[in-house]
Amino acid sequence: MKTNLPKVNKHRSEETESRFFDEQGHLNDSGCTLYVEARLLQREEELPLAITRHIESCPHCQQEILDFYEFMQDEDPANLEVHPVLIPSAKSLWIRRLVNYTSSLSRVAAVVLLTVVSCLAYLIVREPNGDEVKNLVSPFENENLQVRFHVWEMQGQEARTFTLPNGSLIHVSANTFADYNGLPVSGKIQLKYREFIHASDLIVSGIPMRINQIDGDHPLETAGMFEIKASKDGDPIFIAPGKFIEVNMASSWGAENFNNYYLDPHFTQEVALNTPLTTPALARMPEHQWKLIGKSEIIPTARLVRENAWLLQKRDMEIDSLALKIVQAQDEMLWNQQNQMTNPKSIPSTQSLYFTLSLNLEENPDMGKYQDVIWEYMGENEEESPSINNHWALNEKWDSLNLTPLKYKPLSLKGHSAAVNSAYFSPDGLYVVTASDDHSAKIWTNEARYLHTLKGHTDVVNSAVFSPTTGAYILTASDDHSAKIWSRQGNFITTLSGHHGAVKNAAFSANGDYILTTSTDHTARLWNARGQILYTLPHIRTNSPASFSSDNNYVLTIPTDSTAQVWSIKGDLIATLPGQFNSAAFSPDSKQIVTTSQKVSSGSAALWTVKGKLLKSFDLNDLAAKFTPNGQYLVSTTGNGSRLWYLNPAESYNTVLIRNLKNLPGKDRKGHEGHITHVDFSKYGDYIITASEDHTTKIWSENGWIQHTLREHTAGVNTAVFAPDGKSILTASDDHTAKIWIERKVGNIYELELIKNPKYFDARKPNALKLAGKKFYTVVRETNPEDIPEEKITQPNLEINPVVELEERYEKALASKHFLEKIQMTEKTVYLRKFKVKTLGIYGSNRIYKNNFPISCLSLLAIEGSPEYNSMKVFVISGQQQTAIQLLEYQQDSPIHIQFDPMYPSILLAVLPGDRVAYFSSKQNEDFSYSDLEYKQPFVFNLKYHQVITSKIELDLLTQDPEIVSQPNFKGWNF
């Protein structure tokens, strides 16, 4: 049907049109008056093209027009002088005659008519630039069949380029968007984009595939369509005046004879309105109609390759910049965390000890049961609670969580003002003595009650021990070149003077009759119990002190780099052991000596008799080794690791590795993460205890299995020993405290371990970014949420962790880079069709579908299995790439005209209620011949019934190659 519409005047000069705009590019008073006058006279199509295009894209001018239009509502159109810009038309003459001819009653009816028209126009004007396309009806009820949007987030004031897997590019310049009032949009916005490429995309979308022109209604064939829209906080936003988004839509067609169109949701058509006051009148109702934008411009593939290379370069720069920011942010956070732990705040105990955690359930869904748990801190020092002094732990998103029941509770010995270097029990276990960098030693009860301070040293006190039998005396060693003897009551007795360097260690013999000191002056000195010098012996290894044998008969020293020596208690040289030794130690029965060295490649450890006979060499390659109390095992230490060895006398003292007491790749990783500073054994050797710079002490079974980890020190642990009865443990730390660990009487107390896995980005690059993992431990118990007021619970806040946002941006940039690397930029397969999008909505690169050899026939449709239906929608899929879609409405047993193009295979797809489909493919049906259509009238098409479409992939395959469903081995759609 032809529609005689007045032609738009496209020949207005820019000089003539410019007089209707102000300096800011908006309509001036003359422009607004002209537009409102044209609307009142229903002659908008006669307006200059520049004015109509501007009004379509400018929310500011739309509001001005609306306000002026409402003001002019009572004006009689007959009194309006026609502006010279407007060309007289039949339509305008009809309105003028209507107004002049009618009686007063008719005039009222005309006013009603204009009011209706005004309301419709008001609704149209009220819809701002880029309103979401509505009322497109899909033939399918299942919304999951719709084409999915690509969704991106960006800042409104930034410029961004987005890329799709098929090579489509969306360039958004800075400050592109405006709100309903025309004001610039800032902050985070959401951009949504999707493409309609295949027949299935076009069918499910409900996009009209016909265009109305002066010469009639025509079907369309498309080289691709897309929809783009934007929002902020869920509300739609629009493209600002003078701005546009450049969309380069990828297409498999390189043909030039396509045009770009915009699907106008506010196109109006004349419809009859029956009113009580008038004869049937005409009004204009909105519908979807394609509006021509211009010729489809194809961007050369070479440009696409250059743009992709430029984007890759830009992405690499962004990745490197973000990596640097992440490292800087991590370093700053690490410094803050360490400073927080070493300089804890003094917080009143009334502060909240309750907290929740942020957990990465995507990484570990099993943590879901802890998502809403409220934890109560149950550690000894309230200022160490995550809710008080370790907020950083609450502001991380943790990848895994472990709970371990705690056996021991610490009692802190607080009073030293510097690192505590050693702590030992008295022989009866009732007292404790500690030595500190603060130049003092202190005496405490085994219930952590302070008793005395031993003052007298003028430098660091390295060790303090009780005399072995009665514990009546205490021996201290200091960097002030001396050792001192004190009574257990804190009284000074005597000074052991004579060393010319720091005294690093001082020890009693097992019977308490002798004292042995080790100094940095490369000597060891033997004293009697009264502090009188007996002998001076050469010794150079201060990290492996000279030692007594347990039978009180021998002293072991390392006098040079190449020997160890055994001396009698009377100062006689018994044996010289040749070798480059780091350490040497007696066996518990005083019959053997074990030596270690890291200075030789093999045979680095050896077992000797006290008389100097070599029993066995074996490769330990560790810094030190010592016997367990039963003499059957050796524990060697080096760096952050320890190893437990079985010593087998029956096999010529072969050593067999029992267990590594350290973290190993791929293992349970329950060992130390820092240098091991001390190793000790329970009285009967059934437990091993290790202290470490990683702030922890670990208890192991005699066969090397981890039993407990003691964690509440906030700095490295220097000493860890069992009480004589084995029921408690004593540790000394650089955090200025010692702790006595006793068995808990209250259950349901756990060690909470939080783990953040390390991340490795872009391993293909030599300087790949590696984000170190994190761990955090604290002592907690689960609480009943009903018992705790919400205001007392500290909640996590990821927003104050700058690394979180940077990591997300880094991952997105990295994914974008990898995606760009995968795009195949070949001239044969990729064409980009360029659009300047000034109004958000649906666009297409289309052409009128011309069937050069049309075959039209009256047709009936029969469906296998005869499913019940009254009507259905039938889509004829044809064209060069099967993107020419014709929609027909079919009533059961009522013939319809179907037109075919014999140049290309055609598919009939029938959509029945309930998303059931049936199909016919000319390519599939071997008996089908187009010539049959000309004389078999009506022609019956037998459609194969395919039941219900449940997935978009299923529909894609069905519309592209229906033969798949007819294969004998086809088992159904398992998507």
Side-chain angles (χ1 to χ4, degrees):
M1 179 184 69
K2 293 185 179 181
T3 304
N4 295 319
L5 297 177
K7 295 183 180 180
V8 177
N9 189 347
K10 299 181 179 178
H11 304 289
R12 306 289 186 188
S13 68
E14 293 183 1
E15 181 178 356
T16 301
E17 295 174 348
S18 64
R19 60 194 173 101
F20 299 113
F21 293 88
D22 60 22
E23 294 179 354
Q24 287 75 36
H26 295 299
L27 288 181
N28 57 23
D29 291 342
S30 297
C32 289
T33 301
L34 173 61
Y35 193 96
V36 171
E37 181 179 302
R39 173 158 290 174
L40 288 170
L41 296 173
Q42 298 188 33
R43 296 174 64 173
E44 294 168 77
E45 59 267 26
E46 299 174 18
L47 287 167
L49 190 61
I51 293 180
T52 56
R53 285 185 174 176
H54 178 75
I55 289 297
E56 290 172 355
S57 60
C58 181
H60 171 77
C61 289
Q62 290 172 4
Q63 188 63 46
E64 292 290 327
I65 292 294
L66 176 63
D67 293 339
F68 191 25
Y69 183 82
E70 290 177 341
F71 176 77
M72 294 289 292
Q73 282 290 294
D74 295 331
E75 182 69 28
D76 189 345
N79 297 328
L80 295 176
E81 290 293 329
V82 179
H83 198 284
V85 171
L86 302 178
I87 300 174
S89 68
K91 185 182 299 184
S92 64
L93 292 175
W94 174 84
I95 295 177
R96 178 170 296 182
R97 289 169 181 169
L98 174 67
V99 174
N100 290 332
Y101 178 77
T102 54
S103 62
S104 59
L105 182 61
S106 299
R107 285 178 179 269
V108 173
V111 171
V112 173
L113 168 63
L114 289 176
T115 302
V116 174
V117 173
S118 300
C119 292
L120 294 173
Y122 173 82
L123 293 174
I124 294 171
V125 175
R126 285 287 294 179
E127 298 293 346
N129 168 9
D131 180 35
E132 182 178 352
V133 178
K134 300 176 181 177
N135 302 323
L136 292 181
V137 180
S138 172
F140 291 97
E141 301 171 7
N142 186 353
E143 294 184 357
N144 293 326
L145 299 180
Q146 287 290 343
V147 179
R148 299 297 183 185
F149 279 98
H150 296 270
V151 182
W152 302 290
E153 288 186 345
M154 60 177 290
Q155 295 296 318
Q157 58 270 43
E158 70 175 340
R160 290 285 298 276
T161 296
F162 303 99
T163 313
L164 267 65
N166 62 355
S168 295
L169 300 173
I170 298 94
H171 302 286
V172 183
S173 58
N175 302 308
T176 292
F177 298 101
D179 62 15
Y180 184 86
N181 297 314
L183 300 176
V185 174
S186 60
K188 184 180 292 186
I189 67 173
Q190 187 181 76
L191 188 69
K192 301 176 74 173
Y193 177 91
R194 60 177 175 172
E195 290 183 346
F196 309 96
I197 305 298
H198 306 296
S200 60
D201 305 335
L202 302 166
I203 291 172
V204 299
S205 67
I207 295 175
M209 293 297 294
R210 305 190 70 83
I211 185 169
N212 293 317
Q213 293 193 325
I214 294 176
D215 60 346
D217 195 34
H218 300 279
L220 285 176
E221 185 174 25
T222 184
M225 301 182 185
F226 65 85
E227 180 179 7
I228 185 169
K229 54 186 180 179
S231 63
K232 176 176 172 60
D233 300 328
D235 296 323
I237 55 177
F238 318 100
I239 297 179
K243 296 287 186 177
F244 64 88
I245 296 174
E246 181 176 326
V247 175
N248 297 331
M249 180 185 66
S251 173
S252 60
W253 280 20
E256 299 284 349
N257 58 340
F258 281 86
N259 293 318
N260 286 349
Y261 291 87
Y262 164 64
L263 186 61
D264 185 358
H266 305 308
F267 179 83
T268 56
Q269 67 174 353
E270 294 179 349
V271 297
L273 285 180
N274 293 316
T275 68
L277 303 178
T278 67
T279 57
L282 292 179
R284 300 168 65 82
M285 298 295 290
E287 68 172 7
H288 300 95
Q289 179 61 280
W290 288 107
K291 178 188 290 186
L292 176 66
I293 299 175
K295 186 174 177 58
S296 181
E297 178 185 349
I298 300 177
I299 300 175
T301 306
R303 173 181 165 186
L304 176 60
V305 174
R306 289 195 301 272
E307 286 188 357
N308 190 64
W310 177 80
L311 286 172
L312 271 173
Q313 182 181 7
K314 182 180 177 182
R315 200 66 71 236
D316 273 333
M317 293 173 62
E318 180 184 3
I319 288 170
D320 291 341
S321 173
L322 286 171
L324 179 62
K325 291 179 181 178
I326 288 173
V327 171
Q328 291 173 343
Q330 278 192 318
D331 290 343
E332 183 178 354
M333 288 188 66
L334 180 62
W335 185 88
N336 290 335
Q337 293 166 15
Q338 292 174 340
N339 185 61
Q340 190 179 55
M341 289 184 285
T342 55
N343 300 286
K345 301 175 185 177
S346 178
I347 305 294
S349 59
T350 56
Q351 194 75 21
S352 170
L353 300 177
Y354 304 102
F355 60 91
T356 58
L357 295 168
S358 179
L359 304 175
N360 187 358
L361 300 184
E362 294 180 1
E363 181 76 17
N364 187 356
D366 291 341
M367 293 193 298
K369 57 186 176 183
Y370 300 115
Q371 178 68 30
D372 300 320
V373 169
I374 299 173
W375 305 97
E376 180 182 5
Y377 175 72
M378 295 300 294
E380 181 198 15
N381 301 317
E382 290 185 356
E383 62 268 19
E384 295 175 7
S385 167
S387 59
I388 296 177
N389 201 48
N390 281 294
H391 281 292
W392 72 269
L394 303 188
N395 300 327
E396 293 281 357
K397 195 168 187 177
W398 298 98
D399 294 329
S400 58
L401 174 156
N402 296 317
L403 288 176
T404 304
L406 288 184
K407 179 180 178 181
Y408 294 99
K409 173 185 178 181
L411 303 175
S412 285
L413 310 180
K414 298 181 180 179
H416 285 293
S417 58
V420 180
N421 298 313
S422 74
Y424 289 95
F425 284 103
S426 60
D428 57 10
L430 298 178
Y431 301 95
V432 170
V433 63
T434 56
S436 171
D437 277 0
D438 65 6
H439 305 180
S440 74
K442 292 182 183 291
I443 305 172
W444 319 73
T445 70
N446 63 358
E447 296 177 343
R449 182 166 59 89
Y450 163 75
L451 295 177
H452 308 290
T453 298
L454 309 181
K455 296 182 179 180
H457 284 295
T458 58
D459 209 332
V460 170
V461 180
N462 294 305
S463 67
V465 294
F466 286 96
S467 55
T469 51
T470 63
Y473 301 99
I474 294 171
L475 177 63
T476 58
S478 172
D479 278 0
D480 64 7
H481 301 184
S482 73
K484 294 181 183 293
I485 301 175
W486 317 74
S487 71
R488 192 180 65 195
Q489 289 72 33
N491 300 317
F492 169 70
I493 295 177
T494 188
T495 299
L496 284 63
S497 302
H499 280 293
H500 301 292
V503 180
K504 293 298 183 182
N505 191 73
F508 284 103
S509 60
N511 58 12
D513 293 341
Y514 299 95
I515 294 171
L516 188 61
T517 56
T518 305
S519 172
T520 58
D521 63 8
H522 292 180
T523 67
R525 296 193 176 214
L526 187 64
W527 318 72
N528 63 24
R530 295 187 297 276
Q532 297 171 325
I533 185 67
L534 299 179
Y535 307 106
T536 299
L537 309 172
H539 184 79
I540 65 170
R541 295 281 180 237
T542 54
N543 61 340
S544 179
S547 57
F548 288 110
S549 61
S550 59
D551 61 5
N552 306 304
N553 292 328
Y554 304 104
V555 173
L556 182 58
T557 65
I558 303 176
T560 67
D561 281 335
S562 58
T563 60
Q565 291 181 333
V566 182
W567 307 81
S568 73
I569 202 69
K570 297 180 179 180
D572 298 326
L573 180 62
I574 302 299
T576 297
L577 315 179
Q580 297 175 307
F581 303 123
N582 291 103
S583 71
F586 284 109
S587 62
D589 60 5
S590 303
K591 294 179 180 180
Q592 295 167 348
I593 297 169
V594 62
T595 59
T596 64
S597 174
Q598 286 191 319
K599 297 183 177 181
V600 292
S601 59
S602 62
S604 57
L607 191 66
W608 313 77
T609 67
V610 176
K611 301 298 183 180
K613 179 183 177 182
L614 178 64
L615 297 175
K616 181 72 175 179
S617 294
F618 35 82
D619 186 11
L620 288 180
N621 201 32
D622 288 351
L623 284 172
K626 59 194 302 185
F627 288 92
T628 59
N630 59 15
Q632 294 181 356
Y633 299 92
L634 292 172
V635 175
S636 63
T637 58
T638 178
N640 66 343
S642 280
R643 293 189 285 181
L644 178 64
W645 308 81
Y646 174 63
L647 191 61
N648 187 357
E651 297 293 335
S652 300
Y653 300 102
N654 282 340
T655 55
V656 179
L657 179 62
I658 302 297
R659 188 92 52 231
N660 279 287
L661 312 184
K662 64 177 180 180
N663 283 335
L664 293 173
K667 302 295 181 181
D668 56 13
R669 301 192 63 80
K670 293 183 178 179
H672 285 291
E673 296 177 348
H675 186 81
I676 292 176
T677 56
H678 190 259
V679 178
D680 195 35
F681 308 98
S682 59
K683 181 176 182 181
Y684 301 106
D686 46 353
Y687 291 103
I688 304 167
I689 190 168
T690 55
S692 171
E693 290 179 349
D694 67 4
H695 306 184
T696 70
T697 298
K698 291 183 180 289
I699 304 170
W700 313 78
S701 66
E702 60 181 340
N703 55 4
W705 293 107
I706 184 71
Q707 301 296 304
H708 304 284
T709 300
L710 314 179
R711 296 191 187 275
E712 291 206 30
H713 280 296
T714 58
V717 183
N718 299 311
T719 307
V721 295
F722 286 100
D725 61 4
K727 293 183 178 180
S728 57
I729 295 163
L730 180 62
T731 57
S733 169
D734 285 344
D735 66 4
H736 305 181
T737 71
K739 294 184 187 292
I740 302 173
W741 302 80
I742 61 175
E743 292 193 16
R744 291 183 180 272
K745 296 180 181 179
V746 179
N748 300 324
I749 306 296
Y750 299 93
E751 174 190 272
L752 173 65
E753 177 189 28
L754 300 172
I755 300 170
K756 190 170 186 179
N757 298 327
K759 292 185 179 179
Y760 303 91
F761 296 101
D762 205 7
R764 294 170 291 180
K765 291 181 63 176
N767 56 341
L769 177 63
K770 298 179 181 179
L771 303 183
K774 293 183 180 180
K775 286 188 178 181
F776 181 73
Y777 298 88
T778 188
V779 181
V780 297
R781 72 176 173 190
E782 292 186 41
T783 61
N784 185 353
E786 297 177 357
D787 299 336
I788 307 165
E790 186 174 349
E791 62 272 12
K792 289 191 175 182
I793 303 168
T794 305
Q795 303 284 349
N797 183 5
L798 294 180
E799 293 182 1
I800 67 173
N801 185 342
V803 179
V804 173
E805 181 186 0
L806 289 171
E807 281 186 37
E808 290 179 354
R809 289 172 56 191
Y810 188 93
E811 289 176 325
K812 288 181 179 178
L814 201 62
S816 174
K817 177 195 171 182
H818 290 167
F819 166 73
L820 291 172
E821 290 174 337
K822 292 178 182 179
I823 296 177
Q824 299 299 317
M825 300 298 179
T826 61
E827 295 186 8
K828 293 181 180 179
T829 58
V830 177
Y831 303 93
L832 290 185
R833 296 186 177 271
K834 181 179 177 179
F835 292 79
K836 283 190 175 181
V837 174
K838 298 182 179 180
T839 304
L840 298 175
I842 295 178
Y843 290 79
S845 183
N846 307 328
R847 67 184 178 187
I848 293 176
Y849 176 54
K850 295 182 179 180
N851 187 346
N852 295 321
F853 303 97
I855 297 177
S856 179
C857 69
L858 193 64
S859 306
L860 289 171
L861 305 181
I863 301 177
E864 292 181 355
S866 300
E868 293 183 2
Y869 69 93
N870 294 320
S871 64
M872 58 185 175
K873 295 181 183 294
V874 179
F875 296 88
V876 183
I877 304 171
S878 188
Q880 189 173 340
Q881 294 199 8
Q882 292 189 309
T883 58
I885 313 294
Q886 301 176 59
L887 170 61
L888 305 171
E889 296 287 347
Y890 182 75
Q891 301 294 327
Q892 193 170 20
D893 299 329
S894 298
I896 58 173
H897 280 278
I898 299 180
Q899 189 177 82
F900 287 91
D901 187 345
M903 296 293 294
Y904 308 109
S906 297
I907 297 174
L908 297 182
L909 182 74
V911 181
L912 288 74
D915 293 349
R916 298 172 298 163
V917 298
Y919 64 92
F920 172 90
S921 170
S922 60
K923 182 172 63 172
Q924 175 205 8
N925 194 329
E926 297 179 355
D927 298 329
F928 175 76
S929 173
Y930 282 109
S931 61
D932 294 341
L933 301 179
E934 297 179 348
Y935 61 88
K936 291 183 179 180
Q937 298 275 344
F939 186 88
V940 179
F941 288 95
N942 293 308
L943 279 61
K944 289 185 176 293
Y945 181 52
H946 180 62
Q947 300 183 351
V948 178
I949 292 288
T950 59
S951 74
K952 180 64 168 55
I953 299 176
E954 182 178 352
L955 186 62
D956 291 342
L957 294 176
L958 189 62
T959 54
Q960 293 176 48
D961 192 359
E963 289 185 338
I964 295 178
V965 299
S966 62
Q967 297 298 320
N969 58 352
F970 180 74
K971 302 297 183 182
W973 304 93
N974 297 317
F975 299 105

